[in-house]
Amino acid sequence: MTEPEAVELADLVPMRTEIGNCIAAFSMVESMLSLLYGNLMHPAPPRLCYLTLDEARHIESKCRIIKAVGQLVLAADDLPRFKNIMKRVQHKAAVRHKIAHWHVGHWHKNQPVSGVKEMREMEPRLMPAYFSAKNLDFSPDETLVISDLKDFATGSAKLANDILEFASKIPSAVNGGA
């Protein structure tokens, strides 16, 4: 009788580490959104603004609140950039949701795999949880690879900086410069 062939799968630690980087980068986006909201609410006390926005636990709710206020108080020429920033936030939030709720596993295009050759070709991916609507057959249509996660973290850092830059110009523009 022949011995079974041992197959070593790729290490998942780098993928998990990058997930942490993504969550940290997106938390900076959320922090800058709070700053933006506080500036939009000027002359209200900023700490009060931060506390109230924090009570809206979900990013979608925070975005709706910020968009409602921004559209009311910003000058017309600031609105296109504001809307672009908020659209980018909402896109990143949708990806962040996947990063936070999907799981890391080994993926192959022919999953479930049927042999050693396919097992050796399996690679780390972030994918919808098994037994979820997007992964009932263990062959999800959408997965994320480590380069997607690195791009997300880099893009989130850029977005946080863009929000900071925009928010820093707000107090003088809100309420006609009052």
Side-chain angles (χ1 to χ4, degrees):
M1 182 191 267
T2 60
E3 290 287 319
E5 191 170 347
V7 176
E8 189 171 322
L9 298 174
D11 187 5
L12 298 177
V13 171
M15 192 83 163
R16 291 184 176 125
T17 300
E18 201 57 46
I19 288 169
N21 292 338
C22 290
I23 298 300
F26 192 78
S27 74
M28 285 305 299
V29 169
E30 292 183 288
S31 294
M32 294 304 105
L33 284 174
S34 293
L35 177 68
L36 173 61
Y37 179 68
N39 289 0
L40 290 170
M41 293 295 291
H42 180 77
R47 289 183 64 183
L48 186 59
C49 297
Y50 307 150
L51 290 171
T52 56
L53 188 65
D54 191 52
E55 286 302 310
R57 296 284 178 209
H58 301 286
I59 189 67
E60 295 85 4
S61 299
K62 291 178 183 189
C63 286
R64 283 195 306 271
I65 292 166
I66 294 167
K67 283 168 58 176
V69 172
Q71 290 173 353
L72 182 66
V73 301
L74 288 171
D77 53 338
D78 290 326
L79 286 175
R81 183 153 185 236
F82 172 72
K83 288 178 181 179
N84 176 269
I85 285 172
M86 295 309 296
K87 183 177 178 179
R88 290 169 55 205
V89 168
Q90 289 179 294
H91 172 74
K92 289 286 183 206
V95 177
R96 180 254 173 229
H97 182 81
K98 294 172 185 176
I99 292 168
H101 296 283
W102 286 8
H103 73 268
V104 176
H106 292 94
W107 178 90
H108 189 278
K109 64 182 177 188
N110 295 329
Q111 208 151 310
V113 296
S114 59
V116 172
K117 180 180 182 288
E118 287 177 333
M119 288 178 81
R120 285 196 174 110
E121 294 171 348
M122 293 179 83
E123 58 186 47
R125 296 275 179 112
L126 189 65
M127 61 188 100
Y130 295 131
F131 311 109
S132 67
K134 293 193 174 200
N135 199 3
L136 288 175
D137 61 358
F138 304 106
S139 183
D141 292 333
E142 181 184 11
T143 63
L144 299 174
V145 296
I146 198 162
S147 62
D148 296 326
L149 299 178
K150 289 176 186 265
D151 291 347
F152 177 87
T154 300
S156 293
K158 166 105 173 75
L159 178 56
N161 285 333
D162 291 349
I163 296 168
L164 174 60
E165 180 185 314
F166 184 77
S168 68
K169 298 174 182 175
I170 296 301
S172 62
V174 171
N175 299 324

